[in-house]
Amino acid sequence: MSEVPPSHPRYASLRTREKVVEGVERGITGLNGLIAQGRGEALDYLIGERTTAAAEEAERAAAAILLLAERPVLSVNGNAAALVPEEMVNLANKINAPLEVNIFYRTEERVKKIADLLRGLGAERVYGEEPDSLIPGLDHARAKAARGGIFDADVVFVPLEDGDRCEALVRMGKRVITVDLNPLSRTARTSTVTIADNVVRALPNLISLVDEMAGLEEAELRSIIEGYENRAVLRRSVEEMISHLADQFSALDE
Ligand code: ATP
């Protein structure tokens, strides 16, 4: 594995890429995870590799929903396991939620490796190795879910979910919070709250917000949720992308 010097101007982005490559080498991330990461990098470049104001608003709404949830579950796929495993466990423990391994190209070996990784980092409850129910409307391999986990959850936090599964969870009546750098993807448009931010920034932000907002009254949390409109926030995410591009475009003349 090559060592990127911290002085490199794109250190953070290159380290993130290396973590996904390491995930593949350790057998926790599928090969298609590399392609997903590449798409994410391109979109992150377009927003200037920073958390936009729109993403911050989505993160606040997500923190409020997680704090008020009765049965929240955090879903972990191969890319999240490579990029933010400690943060996923930390968030789960803070809101007393189980984690569920939920991967697109399921192999039992990979599910076990991710579950072991999460347990090794201090996760108390990890579902996914023995799914005992099916999410309606998906083909068998993708439909697998666990009772006590995603199947029974009222709120699912699922960074980097695929559009079909996201739709199926919403159809089951769940509130779905996703992290997806593409504000125009099906996942982004279907979710209750879409955080159009890099998962490596979104998770630390969410953890700080959960800490900060844990002391708020229930009514205040409810009003944050009621005032949140995902489509409007997605439109603003696209506008922020356009405006960043316009700035870069103008800078070509300097
Ligand atoms: P959909 O089914 O929702 O339309 P898709 O098929 O376009 O999604 P996938 O290939 O399933 O997309 O998943 C990749 C998605 O994850 C892309 O939209 C990409 O922007 C996003 N993504 C990849 N890496 C990251 C990351 N580190 N942080 C946030 N989002 C990411």
Side-chain angles (χ1 to χ4, degrees):
M1 179 60 48
S2 66
E3 275 299 313
V4 183
S7 56
H8 192 288
R10 306 203 51 255
Y11 176 75
S13 168
L14 293 174
R15 260 311 286 152
T16 304
R17 184 185 300 179
E18 285 193 345
K19 282 189 187 170
V20 181
V21 171
E22 282 163 19
V24 173
E25 289 169 348
R26 286 160 60 202
I28 58 172
T29 308
L31 268 183
N32 48 84
L34 296 173
I35 298 169
Q37 172 62 22
R39 298 180 66 181
E41 272 182 30
L43 287 151
D44 205 10
Y45 201 81
L46 298 185
I47 57 167
E49 296 174 329
R50 75 208 150 95
T51 300
T52 62
E56 214 173 291
E57 186 180 339
E59 284 160 4
R60 279 193 88 74
I65 291 177
L66 288 172
L67 283 165
L68 286 185
E70 281 174 25
R71 296 175 309 282
V73 176
L74 275 50
S75 170
V76 183
N77 75 353
N79 283 48
L83 291 174
V84 282
E86 289 94 351
E87 291 86 346
M88 291 297 288
V89 171
N90 186 350
L91 183 61
N93 290 346
K94 272 186 197 297
I95 59 168
N96 194 23
L99 294 139
E100 181 161 336
V101 182
N102 165 35
I103 56 182
F104 196 75
Y105 297 101
R106 185 182 172 95
T107 71
E108 299 313 316
E109 194 192 347
R110 210 146 68 76
V111 171
K112 182 170 183 334
K113 278 193 178 167
I114 297 175
D116 285 345
L117 169 73
L118 298 171
R119 280 190 286 258
L121 291 168
E124 282 157 25
R125 282 176 293 158
V126 181
Y127 290 98
E129 288 153 300
E130 285 166 12
D132 52 4
S133 51
L134 295 173
I135 298 168
L138 295 175
D139 63 69
H140 191 82
R142 308 248 152 83
K144 291 181 175 177
R147 286 186 192 275
I150 289 176
F151 193 78
D152 295 319
D154 61 338
V155 173
V156 186
F157 174 64
V158 51
L160 318 175
E161 181 57 303
D162 131 87
D164 274 1
R165 266 203 309 219
C166 182
E167 268 175 31
L169 293 172
V170 170
R171 269 202 309 271
M172 285 178 84
K174 301 177 191 306
R175 283 180 158 173
V176 180
I177 303 166
T178 49
V179 181
D180 189 340
L181 274 160
N182 183 0
L184 297 172
S185 72
R186 272 180 315 139
T187 303
R189 285 181 281 143
T190 315
S191 306
T192 316
V193 173
T194 309
I195 301 171
D197 199 1
N198 198 314
V199 81
V200 301
R201 295 189 299 269
L203 262 293
N205 288 348
L206 261 180
I207 290 168
S208 306
L209 284 166
V210 162
D211 279 342
E212 190 188 300
M213 292 162 66
L216 293 183
E217 297 288 334
E218 199 177 308
E220 274 182 86
L221 294 173
R222 285 199 190 288
S223 91
I224 293 171
I225 299 169
E226 277 156 23
Y228 181 83
E229 213 209 304
N230 203 46
R231 289 285 167 128
V233 173
L234 287 176
R235 272 195 292 275
R236 278 179 31 223
S237 294
V238 178
E239 279 164 6
E240 294 203 50
M241 212 176 252
I242 294 168
S243 122
H244 178 71
L245 272 182
D247 291 346
Q248 299 299 303
F249 186 71
S250 311
L252 287 175
D253 293 331
E254 284 165 9

Short mmCIF file of all heavy atoms in Angstrom, two decimals, residues 46-47 50-60 183-184 194 196 227-244:
data_model
loop_
_atom_site.label_atom_id
_atom_site.label_comp_id
_atom_site.label_asym_id
_atom_site.label_seq_id
_atom_site.Cartn_x
_atom_site.Cartn_y
_atom_site.Cartn_z
N LEU A 46 -17.05 17.88 -7.09
CA LEU A 46 -17.97 18.92 -7.60
C LEU A 46 -18.55 19.80 -6.49
O LEU A 46 -19.00 20.91 -6.75
CB LEU A 46 -19.11 18.28 -8.40
CG LEU A 46 -18.71 17.51 -9.66
CD1 LEU A 46 -19.94 17.04 -10.40
CD2 LEU A 46 -17.85 18.37 -10.58
N ILE A 47 -18.58 19.31 -5.26
CA ILE A 47 -19.07 20.18 -4.17
C ILE A 47 -17.92 20.80 -3.40
O ILE A 47 -18.12 21.51 -2.40
CB ILE A 47 -20.04 19.47 -3.18
CG1 ILE A 47 -19.41 18.23 -2.53
CG2 ILE A 47 -21.36 19.13 -3.84
CD1 ILE A 47 -20.21 17.71 -1.34
N ARG A 50 -16.27 19.39 0.80
CA ARG A 50 -16.59 20.01 2.10
C ARG A 50 -18.06 19.73 2.38
O ARG A 50 -18.83 19.40 1.46
CB ARG A 50 -16.35 21.52 2.03
CG ARG A 50 -17.45 22.21 1.25
CD ARG A 50 -17.10 23.47 0.55
NE ARG A 50 -17.97 23.56 -0.62
CZ ARG A 50 -19.13 24.22 -0.65
NH1 ARG A 50 -19.57 24.89 0.38
NH2 ARG A 50 -19.87 24.22 -1.74
N THR A 51 -18.44 19.90 3.65
CA THR A 51 -19.85 19.74 4.01
C THR A 51 -20.58 21.02 3.65
O THR A 51 -20.25 22.09 4.17
CB THR A 51 -19.99 19.44 5.53
OG1 THR A 51 -19.28 18.24 5.79
CG2 THR A 51 -21.44 19.29 5.94
N THR A 52 -21.55 20.91 2.77
CA THR A 52 -22.28 22.11 2.35
C THR A 52 -23.33 22.48 3.42
O THR A 52 -23.64 21.66 4.29
CB THR A 52 -23.02 21.86 1.02
OG1 THR A 52 -23.97 20.82 1.26
CG2 THR A 52 -22.08 21.45 -0.10
N ALA A 53 -23.88 23.68 3.29
CA ALA A 53 -24.92 24.10 4.25
C ALA A 53 -26.14 23.17 4.14
O ALA A 53 -26.79 22.84 5.15
CB ALA A 53 -25.33 25.55 3.97
N ALA A 54 -26.44 22.73 2.92
CA ALA A 54 -27.59 21.82 2.73
C ALA A 54 -27.34 20.50 3.45
O ALA A 54 -28.22 19.97 4.14
CB ALA A 54 -27.82 21.59 1.24
N ALA A 55 -26.11 19.98 3.32
CA ALA A 55 -25.79 18.71 3.98
C ALA A 55 -25.86 18.87 5.50
O ALA A 55 -26.33 17.98 6.22
CB ALA A 55 -24.41 18.22 3.56
N GLU A 56 -25.43 20.02 5.97
CA GLU A 56 -25.47 20.26 7.41
C GLU A 56 -26.92 20.26 7.92
O GLU A 56 -27.20 19.73 8.99
CB GLU A 56 -24.83 21.63 7.66
CG GLU A 56 -24.07 21.69 8.96
CD GLU A 56 -23.34 23.02 9.04
OE1 GLU A 56 -22.39 23.22 8.26
OE2 GLU A 56 -23.76 23.86 9.86
N GLU A 57 -27.81 20.85 7.14
CA GLU A 57 -29.22 20.85 7.54
C GLU A 57 -29.76 19.42 7.58
O GLU A 57 -30.49 19.04 8.50
CB GLU A 57 -30.05 21.71 6.57
CG GLU A 57 -31.46 21.84 7.07
CD GLU A 57 -32.36 22.69 6.18
OE1 GLU A 57 -31.84 23.51 5.39
OE2 GLU A 57 -33.59 22.51 6.28
N ALA A 58 -29.37 18.62 6.58
CA ALA A 58 -29.82 17.21 6.56
C ALA A 58 -29.24 16.46 7.76
O ALA A 58 -29.93 15.63 8.38
CB ALA A 58 -29.39 16.55 5.25
N GLU A 59 -28.01 16.76 8.12
CA GLU A 59 -27.38 16.08 9.27
C GLU A 59 -28.12 16.43 10.57
O GLU A 59 -28.32 15.56 11.42
CB GLU A 59 -25.89 16.44 9.33
CG GLU A 59 -25.10 15.67 8.26
CD GLU A 59 -23.73 16.26 7.89
OE1 GLU A 59 -23.31 17.26 8.52
OE2 GLU A 59 -23.09 15.71 6.98
N ARG A 60 -28.55 17.67 10.70
CA ARG A 60 -29.31 18.07 11.90
C ARG A 60 -30.64 17.32 11.97
O ARG A 60 -31.03 16.83 13.03
CB ARG A 60 -29.63 19.58 11.87
CG ARG A 60 -28.53 20.47 12.30
CD ARG A 60 -29.06 21.90 12.54
NE ARG A 60 -29.54 22.07 13.90
CZ ARG A 60 -28.73 22.18 14.95
NH1 ARG A 60 -27.43 22.11 14.79
NH2 ARG A 60 -29.21 22.34 16.15
N PRO A 183 -26.93 13.87 -5.14
CA PRO A 183 -28.25 14.34 -4.71
C PRO A 183 -29.36 13.99 -5.69
O PRO A 183 -30.53 14.19 -5.40
CB PRO A 183 -28.07 15.86 -4.61
CG PRO A 183 -26.89 16.19 -5.45
CD PRO A 183 -26.03 14.97 -5.55
N LEU A 184 -28.98 13.44 -6.85
CA LEU A 184 -30.00 13.10 -7.86
C LEU A 184 -30.23 11.59 -7.97
O LEU A 184 -31.03 11.15 -8.78
CB LEU A 184 -29.56 13.65 -9.22
CG LEU A 184 -29.44 15.18 -9.28
CD1 LEU A 184 -28.82 15.63 -10.60
CD2 LEU A 184 -30.80 15.83 -9.09
N THR A 194 -31.77 12.75 3.10
CA THR A 194 -30.56 12.41 2.36
C THR A 194 -29.45 13.36 2.76
O THR A 194 -29.59 14.58 2.61
CB THR A 194 -30.77 12.60 0.84
OG1 THR A 194 -31.97 11.93 0.47
CG2 THR A 194 -29.59 12.09 0.04
N ALA A 196 -26.23 14.65 1.57
CA ALA A 196 -25.38 14.65 0.37
C ALA A 196 -23.99 15.13 0.78
O ALA A 196 -23.59 16.28 0.55
CB ALA A 196 -25.98 15.52 -0.72
N GLY A 227 -39.90 20.80 10.21
CA GLY A 227 -39.48 21.89 9.32
C GLY A 227 -38.57 21.42 8.18
O GLY A 227 -38.18 22.23 7.34
N TYR A 228 -38.25 20.15 8.18
CA TYR A 228 -37.28 19.66 7.19
C TYR A 228 -38.00 19.16 5.94
O TYR A 228 -38.96 18.40 6.02
CB TYR A 228 -36.47 18.51 7.80
CG TYR A 228 -35.44 17.97 6.84
CD1 TYR A 228 -34.20 18.59 6.70
CD2 TYR A 228 -35.72 16.86 6.03
CE1 TYR A 228 -33.27 18.12 5.79
CE2 TYR A 228 -34.80 16.39 5.13
CZ TYR A 228 -33.57 17.01 5.01
OH TYR A 228 -32.65 16.56 4.11
N GLU A 229 -37.51 19.61 4.77
CA GLU A 229 -38.12 19.13 3.52
C GLU A 229 -37.02 18.61 2.61
O GLU A 229 -36.20 19.38 2.08
CB GLU A 229 -38.85 20.31 2.87
CG GLU A 229 -40.08 19.86 2.11
CD GLU A 229 -40.35 20.79 0.96
OE1 GLU A 229 -40.50 22.00 1.22
OE2 GLU A 229 -40.38 20.31 -0.19
N ASN A 230 -36.98 17.28 2.45
CA ASN A 230 -35.82 16.66 1.77
C ASN A 230 -35.63 17.16 0.33
O ASN A 230 -34.51 17.44 -0.08
CB ASN A 230 -35.96 15.15 1.81
CG ASN A 230 -34.60 14.46 1.64
OD1 ASN A 230 -33.61 14.85 2.27
ND2 ASN A 230 -34.54 13.46 0.78
N ARG A 231 -36.75 17.27 -0.43
CA ARG A 231 -36.61 17.70 -1.84
C ARG A 231 -35.97 19.09 -1.93
O ARG A 231 -35.13 19.35 -2.79
CB ARG A 231 -37.97 17.73 -2.54
CG ARG A 231 -38.53 16.34 -2.80
CD ARG A 231 -37.79 15.72 -3.97
NE ARG A 231 -38.08 14.31 -4.06
CZ ARG A 231 -38.50 13.70 -5.17
NH1 ARG A 231 -38.68 14.37 -6.28
NH2 ARG A 231 -38.71 12.40 -5.17
N ALA A 232 -36.38 19.99 -1.04
CA ALA A 232 -35.84 21.36 -1.06
C ALA A 232 -34.35 21.32 -0.73
O ALA A 232 -33.54 22.04 -1.34
CB ALA A 232 -36.58 22.23 -0.06
N VAL A 233 -33.96 20.47 0.22
CA VAL A 233 -32.56 20.37 0.61
C VAL A 233 -31.74 19.76 -0.54
O VAL A 233 -30.62 20.19 -0.81
CB VAL A 233 -32.42 19.57 1.93
CG1 VAL A 233 -30.97 19.30 2.27
CG2 VAL A 233 -33.08 20.35 3.08
N LEU A 234 -32.33 18.79 -1.24
CA LEU A 234 -31.62 18.21 -2.39
C LEU A 234 -31.41 19.26 -3.49
O LEU A 234 -30.35 19.33 -4.11
CB LEU A 234 -32.41 17.03 -2.97
CG LEU A 234 -32.39 15.76 -2.12
CD1 LEU A 234 -33.27 14.69 -2.75
CD2 LEU A 234 -30.97 15.24 -1.95
N ARG A 235 -32.44 20.08 -3.71
CA ARG A 235 -32.30 21.14 -4.73
C ARG A 235 -31.16 22.08 -4.34
O ARG A 235 -30.35 22.47 -5.17
CB ARG A 235 -33.61 21.94 -4.88
CG ARG A 235 -34.56 21.31 -5.90
CD ARG A 235 -35.67 22.28 -6.30
NE ARG A 235 -36.57 22.51 -5.18
CZ ARG A 235 -37.60 21.73 -4.89
NH1 ARG A 235 -37.88 20.68 -5.63
NH2 ARG A 235 -38.36 21.99 -3.86
N ARG A 236 -31.10 22.40 -3.04
CA ARG A 236 -30.01 23.29 -2.59
C ARG A 236 -28.65 22.62 -2.74
O ARG A 236 -27.65 23.27 -3.04
CB ARG A 236 -30.25 23.74 -1.15
CG ARG A 236 -31.23 24.91 -1.14
CD ARG A 236 -31.56 25.41 0.24
NE ARG A 236 -30.49 25.27 1.18
CZ ARG A 236 -30.64 24.83 2.44
NH1 ARG A 236 -31.83 24.50 2.88
NH2 ARG A 236 -29.60 24.76 3.24
N SER A 237 -28.59 21.30 -2.54
CA SER A 237 -27.31 20.58 -2.73
C SER A 237 -26.85 20.73 -4.17
O SER A 237 -25.67 20.96 -4.43
CB SER A 237 -27.47 19.08 -2.44
OG SER A 237 -27.75 18.88 -1.10
N VAL A 238 -27.79 20.61 -5.11
CA VAL A 238 -27.43 20.75 -6.53
C VAL A 238 -27.01 22.19 -6.81
O VAL A 238 -26.02 22.44 -7.50
CB VAL A 238 -28.60 20.32 -7.46
CG1 VAL A 238 -28.24 20.52 -8.91
CG2 VAL A 238 -28.96 18.86 -7.21
N GLU A 239 -27.74 23.14 -6.23
CA GLU A 239 -27.37 24.56 -6.44
C GLU A 239 -25.96 24.85 -5.90
O GLU A 239 -25.19 25.58 -6.52
CB GLU A 239 -28.38 25.48 -5.74
CG GLU A 239 -29.63 25.68 -6.57
CD GLU A 239 -30.79 26.25 -5.77
OE1 GLU A 239 -30.61 26.61 -4.57
OE2 GLU A 239 -31.89 26.31 -6.33
N GLU A 240 -25.63 24.24 -4.76
CA GLU A 240 -24.30 24.48 -4.18
C GLU A 240 -23.22 23.89 -5.09
O GLU A 240 -22.12 24.41 -5.21
CB GLU A 240 -24.22 23.91 -2.77
CG GLU A 240 -25.16 24.66 -1.83
CD GLU A 240 -24.78 24.56 -0.36
OE1 GLU A 240 -23.62 24.80 -0.03
OE2 GLU A 240 -25.67 24.24 0.45
N MET A 241 -23.55 22.78 -5.74
CA MET A 241 -22.62 22.15 -6.68
C MET A 241 -22.40 23.07 -7.89
O MET A 241 -21.28 23.33 -8.31
CB MET A 241 -23.27 20.84 -7.16
CG MET A 241 -22.33 19.74 -7.49
SD MET A 241 -23.31 18.28 -7.90
CE MET A 241 -23.02 17.27 -6.48
N ILE A 242 -23.52 23.61 -8.40
CA ILE A 242 -23.44 24.50 -9.57
C ILE A 242 -22.63 25.74 -9.20
O ILE A 242 -21.76 26.18 -9.97
CB ILE A 242 -24.86 24.89 -10.05
CG1 ILE A 242 -25.58 23.66 -10.59
CG2 ILE A 242 -24.80 26.00 -11.10
CD1 ILE A 242 -27.08 23.86 -10.83
N SER A 243 -22.87 26.28 -8.02
CA SER A 243 -22.19 27.52 -7.67
C SER A 243 -20.69 27.27 -7.44
O SER A 243 -19.85 28.08 -7.82
CB SER A 243 -22.91 28.18 -6.49
OG SER A 243 -22.09 28.37 -5.42
N HIS A 244 -20.35 26.10 -6.87
CA HIS A 244 -18.92 25.77 -6.71
C HIS A 244 -18.26 25.64 -8.09
O HIS A 244 -17.16 26.15 -8.32
CB HIS A 244 -18.76 24.48 -5.91
CG HIS A 244 -17.33 24.05 -5.76
ND1 HIS A 244 -16.44 24.73 -4.95
CD2 HIS A 244 -16.61 23.06 -6.34
CE1 HIS A 244 -15.25 24.16 -5.03
NE2 HIS A 244 -15.32 23.14 -5.87
#
